[in-house]
Amino acid sequence: MFKKILIANRGEIACRVIKTARKMGIQTVAVYSDADRNALHVKMADEAVHIGPPPANQSYIVIDKIMEAIRQTGAEAVHPGYGFLSENRKFAEALEAAGVAFIGPPASAIEAMGDKITSKKLAQEAGVSTVPGYMGLIADADEAVKISGEIGYPVMIKASAGGGGKGMRIAWNEEEAREGFESSKNEAANSFGDDRIFIEKFVTQPRHIEIQVLADQHGNAVYLHERECSIQRRNQKVIEEAPSPFLDEATRKAMGEQAVALAKAVNYTSAGTVEFIVDGDRNFYFLEMNTRLQVEHPVTELITGVDLVEQMIRVADGQKLPFAQSDLTINGWAMESRLYAEDPYRGFLPSIGRLTRYSPPAEIAAGPLKTAGNWVNDSEDGDSPFAVRNDTGVYDGGEISMFYDPMIAKLCTWAPSRGEAIEAMRVALDEFEVEGIGHNLPFLSAVMDHPKFVSGDMTTAFIAEEYPDGFTGVTPDETELTRIAAAAAAMHRVAEIRRSRISGRLDNHERHVGENWVVFAGDHEVPVRIQADRDGATVHAAGRDLRVESDWRPGQSLARLTVDGAGLVMKVDKIAAGYRLRTRGADLKVHVRRPRAAELSKLMPVKEAADTSKLLLCPMPGLVVKINVAVGDEVQEGQALATVEAMKMENILRAEKKGKVKAVNAEAGESLKVDDVIMEFE
């Protein structure tokens, strides 16, 4: 077995690999750029080597710098993680030439299947059903528009070397095809050093289901069942689960056997994933094969008990797989929510900055991984009926950089059934505290409560269809608002009791805490009466008596309560005369006032927001790539005004209405902050 491996990656996946290597008694080497000098993966590894400036094309994807780090440290093998060099044939060949093991497939398999165009051709030659498309190289935007018209809109424009949603666009007309080709080409060049693009028909109403395969160097190959990855935004997965709520056993078996056959056809070894589009009749079509570990691999580990990273290392060491296909059963259900540094209230635009608070829920080991002894995180042991796992590469006080993917963490839950796994995820999301940046926790919570998701009846268009105008938060129904109001009233009473016990007060001036209050939760007004006892309080609200019990104390940022017999977890921030409470995707300012103060508060004027309708504001910190208009230009609704790049993604800013450009305050190459004025209109 290897004594030392180098992880040619960063962030959560580097930390994930280090944990398994540590469990196996293998020393680890981290590599880092200037931006990652204080990153978690650097702190966790036994050694760390600096490899250059922040941009990936000057550090993490420069093969010579990784090879030099290997020479410096004497690493015997390299795990590439995902992204960066993980599917780079030249990197695998360089390692082989240097006598260093690549913890991944052979270079020939990467070349055959890692390239999206080549893999499509090979699949077609093998008789695998594929989505119609143009597999040749595309010279320019004009040719892209011509090909798109021949295929028929809508089309998917994809980077040949792409992954993680980078270099992918859906075009519904010629203008979008032209813009999408240029943006995809630029993103592909910046992220992968390969700007080749191909185009295929975009299948409407599809489900994205993928099969995990694992093969050794002795001709053995198995599939570890499927993952449902249909909840996507901008072609990037947001929520994954295993197994799929849609497949039946016959379809699962057929997809798995086809995935294994494809892997064997190219002499594949290590872990890999075969991706399919599945229609409503369970017909499936090969999309591509990812010749690496997938971001969402934890959900497969949670239902099978197999540590995929460990098996990748053992396969690279020449060992045989320790199990056969018949050994790989499905145990329970697993969910994964990707926590991104993206502001859902601003169109999911990237958000960077310091994590002033980062407190994930406690990890709990249960289910297959606990039984198999393969739990890969530091966790709390116990007889819990569910599991919580959090794969992350950040820490409290750390910084989210503009140079890399915006992922903060991958929160996973396991339980015996899908409904229980969803409920465990709801609670875990409520307990996850992240402050200092915009993030998508509220959106993830909203999806977990969405009827279509809960029913399992979703496609890759779920987010676009269910949130066509973007995400504006969750408004709890009247019953839930009443529960929140009762909780807030009980919490306020606890704080009032503490304030009434201040020392040094005058004799005969004891402060009385009243029983009657009025709670304003958003636009919901709830008069309440509180009767407290040693174990909690009974709150009379909306004609009901709600029992509230909790050990919450003022100053705590997380409140765990039982209200009317059901659990309620809320993030708590103190504001004047109340609290900011966040739970299940709702973000509420809740004020608790005495009845007279409640009457007077209604007479207070409301502060109007500033008028920014004649300004184009930068929606995220980023770099101006292009300014499309000049002073004096007449612009139409939907017209592209500027392109801003952040976290490896190009964002086209468009006109919301007709107008005339009065001033342009930014230029290409300029770095902007949130709400910097890019241009003004008359």
Side-chain angles (χ1 to χ4, degrees):
M1 178 52 68
F2 309 119
K3 294 181 179 178
K4 182 187 291 187
I5 65 173
L6 180 143
I7 298 105
N9 218 297
R10 64 175 301 280
E12 66 87 12
I13 188 57
C15 297
R16 162 71 185 89
V17 175
I18 289 170
K19 287 182 177 181
T20 284
R22 181 186 294 162
K23 181 186 70 175
M24 298 175 69
I26 301 172
Q27 290 189 314
T28 55
V29 179
V31 292
Y32 65 93
S33 69
D34 291 339
D36 281 338
R37 190 174 299 275
N38 298 313
L40 185 59
H41 74 284
V42 176
K43 298 176 185 292
M44 289 179 62
D46 298 297
E47 300 176 57
V49 179
H50 175 251
I51 55 171
N57 58 11
Q58 298 178 43
S59 52
Y60 290 106
I61 63 173
V62 180
I63 294 175
D64 289 344
K65 292 187 176 183
I66 303 297
M67 298 305 296
E68 179 57 31
I70 294 169
R71 285 189 286 271
Q72 286 181 30
T73 59
E76 303 164 272
V78 172
H79 196 299
Y82 52 75
F84 293 153
L85 295 171
S86 63
E87 296 178 285
N88 189 301
R89 172 183 57 83
K90 293 180 180 179
F91 181 51
E93 290 174 342
L95 292 173
E96 184 178 1
V100 177
F102 181 60
I103 304 174
S108 59
I110 293 176
E111 184 175 20
M113 300 307 295
D115 181 279
K116 307 302 185 290
I117 293 175
T118 303
S119 66
K120 290 270 186 179
K121 291 180 177 178
L122 287 171
Q124 288 175 340
E125 292 170 2
V128 178
S129 175
T130 59
V131 179
Y134 183 81
M135 297 296 107
L137 296 179
I138 301 170
D140 52 33
D142 289 336
E143 186 178 2
V145 170
K146 179 183 176 183
I147 291 169
S148 298
E150 292 172 351
I151 294 173
Y153 293 101
V155 297
M156 176 76 81
I157 301 169
K158 302 176 72 173
S160 179
K166 305 297 185 298
M168 298 174 65
R169 293 290 190 278
I170 297 172
W172 296 81
N173 52 52
E174 289 188 2
E175 182 181 358
E176 291 183 1
R178 188 177 302 278
E179 290 179 353
F181 176 81
E182 293 175 349
S183 290
S184 294
K185 196 175 183 70
N186 290 338
E187 285 180 7
N190 292 334
S191 296
F192 313 109
D194 183 344
D195 66 355
R196 291 176 299 154
I197 299 296
F198 71 99
I199 299 176
E200 64 186 13
K201 179 71 175 177
F202 178 67
V203 179
T204 56
Q205 298 299 310
R207 296 179 82 113
H208 185 135
I209 300 176
E210 60 191 29
I211 301 292
Q212 176 71 58
V213 297
L214 191 60
D216 62 23
Q217 300 173 19
H218 305 278
N220 302 305
V222 296
Y223 63 91
L224 289 87
H225 310 298
E226 81 280 4
R227 295 184 288 258
E228 172 85 52
C229 307
S230 296
I231 305 297
Q232 304 179 6
R233 188 188 55 74
R234 296 177 185 167
N235 307 309
Q236 190 170 48
K237 300 162 189 172
V238 178
I239 293 170
E240 300 99 348
E241 61 182 295
S244 167
F246 183 63
L247 293 192
D248 55 24
E249 188 55 43
T251 308
R252 174 179 296 115
K253 184 174 185 290
M255 292 175 70
E257 290 176 349
Q258 182 170 315
V260 167
L262 193 59
K264 286 185 174 182
V266 293
N267 298 315
Y268 196 89
T269 63
S270 194
T273 297
V274 181
E275 300 195 349
F276 294 92
I277 280 183
V278 184
D279 68 19
D281 296 322
R282 297 193 179 94
N283 298 308
F284 55 89
Y285 305 93
F286 170 75
L287 277 179
E288 62 190 25
M289 182 175 188
N290 291 309
T291 56
R292 54 171 168 81
L293 190 68
Q294 289 280 91
V295 175
E296 57 273 19
H297 75 274
V299 291
T300 295
E301 295 181 329
L302 284 166
I303 65 164
T304 62
V306 176
D307 183 332
L308 289 170
V309 173
E310 178 182 345
Q311 294 306 318
M312 291 178 76
I313 294 172
R314 294 192 182 281
V315 166
D317 189 48
Q319 299 180 28
K320 291 184 178 181
L321 294 180
F323 38 72
Q325 188 64 60
S326 58
D327 299 321
L328 297 168
T329 58
I330 295 174
N331 186 342
W333 215 285
M335 292 279 164
E336 175 178 289
S337 294
R338 298 192 190 188
L339 174 55
Y340 284 121
E342 298 174 335
D343 190 341
Y345 303 107
R346 300 173 69 97
F348 295 93
L349 292 172
S351 177
I352 64 174
R354 190 165 301 283
L355 290 164
T356 57
R357 182 166 180 79
Y358 177 78
S359 179
E363 293 189 304
I364 303 170
L369 278 183
K370 182 181 177 183
T371 303
N374 283 333
W375 187 249
V376 295
N377 284 306
D378 300 326
S379 58
E380 295 182 355
D381 276 323
D383 296 323
S384 173
F386 61 90
V388 178
R389 167 176 167 176
N390 187 54
D391 285 16
T392 188
V394 304
Y395 55 89
D396 194 27
E399 191 168 354
I400 303 298
S401 168
M402 67 179 288
F403 296 102
Y404 310 113
D405 190 273
M407 185 183 293
I408 299 172
K410 300 181 312 194
L411 181 64
C412 304
T413 57
W414 174 93
S417 68
R418 186 172 188 266
E420 291 169 308
I422 291 174
E423 180 58 27
M425 180 62 75
R426 289 171 179 149
V427 175
L429 289 168
D430 282 341
E431 292 182 342
F432 210 137
E433 298 179 78
V434 180
E435 305 293 347
I437 60 166
H439 55 77
N440 67 333
L441 275 174
F443 178 72
L444 296 171
S445 292
V447 172
M448 287 297 144
D449 277 333
H450 196 287
K452 185 171 283 190
F453 175 77
V454 172
S455 72
D457 179 24
M458 67 275 189
T459 71
T460 55
F462 171 85
I463 292 177
E465 291 175 352
E466 302 304 318
Y467 302 93
D469 301 319
F471 180 72
T472 56
V474 172
T475 301
D477 60 29
E478 187 168 342
T479 299
E480 189 63 16
L481 279 172
T482 301
R483 291 181 71 238
I484 292 170
M491 293 162 62
H492 185 74
R493 183 186 181 282
V494 170
E496 285 288 287
I497 292 293
R498 172 176 286 190
R499 285 188 283 269
S500 72
R501 292 172 178 169
I502 187 169
S503 61
R505 65 192 178 199
L506 295 174
D507 292 339
N508 301 318
H509 284 76
E510 183 173 347
R511 181 178 175 185
H512 176 67
V513 178
E515 295 181 349
N516 295 308
W517 302 86
V518 180
V519 182
F520 295 87
D523 297 328
H524 199 57
E525 179 180 345
V526 187
V528 302
R529 185 176 72 255
I530 305 175
Q531 294 177 307
D533 54 51
R534 178 175 294 181
D535 299 320
T538 299
V539 180
H540 184 79
R544 300 165 55 204
D545 286 331
L546 290 84
R547 184 66 181 171
V548 180
E549 296 179 355
S550 173
D551 59 358
W552 179 84
R553 293 293 178 267
Q556 293 178 345
S557 58
L558 195 68
R560 297 181 178 88
L561 311 98
T562 300
V563 182
D564 198 26
L568 178 63
V569 180
M570 301 188 295
K571 300 176 184 73
V572 183
D573 293 296
K574 186 72 181 76
I575 59 176
Y579 306 95
R580 178 192 179 196
L581 301 177
R582 286 169 287 174
T583 181
R584 297 291 168 96
D587 191 337
L588 302 168
K589 288 185 177 179
V590 179
H591 299 279
V592 184
R593 298 186 173 103
R594 296 181 184 277
R596 178 56 177 159
E599 292 177 19
L600 296 174
S601 70
K602 298 176 184 178
L603 304 177
M604 298 294 290
V606 178
K607 184 177 180 180
E608 299 292 338
D611 182 11
T612 60
S613 60
K614 294 184 177 181
L615 303 175
L616 176 65
L617 304 178
C618 188
M620 85 292 277
L623 184 73
V624 179
V625 175
K626 185 178 181 181
I627 298 293
N628 298 76
V629 296
V631 174
D633 286 357
E634 297 279 352
V635 300
Q636 303 299 315
E637 182 179 353
Q639 181 177 338
L641 302 176
T643 302
V644 177
E645 180 185 304
M647 291 181 171
K648 301 191 293 183
M649 295 288 284
E650 288 193 354
N651 302 274
I652 299 175
L653 308 183
R654 302 180 183 276
E656 295 183 354
K657 58 184 179 181
K658 293 181 180 180
K660 185 175 183 180
V661 180
K662 178 181 179 181
V664 177
N665 303 328
E667 59 184 20
E670 186 176 351
S671 293
L672 301 180
K673 303 187 298 295
V674 174
D675 289 340
D676 277 354
V677 179
I678 297 176
M679 62 185 67
E680 303 173 34
F681 303 95
E682 293 182 357

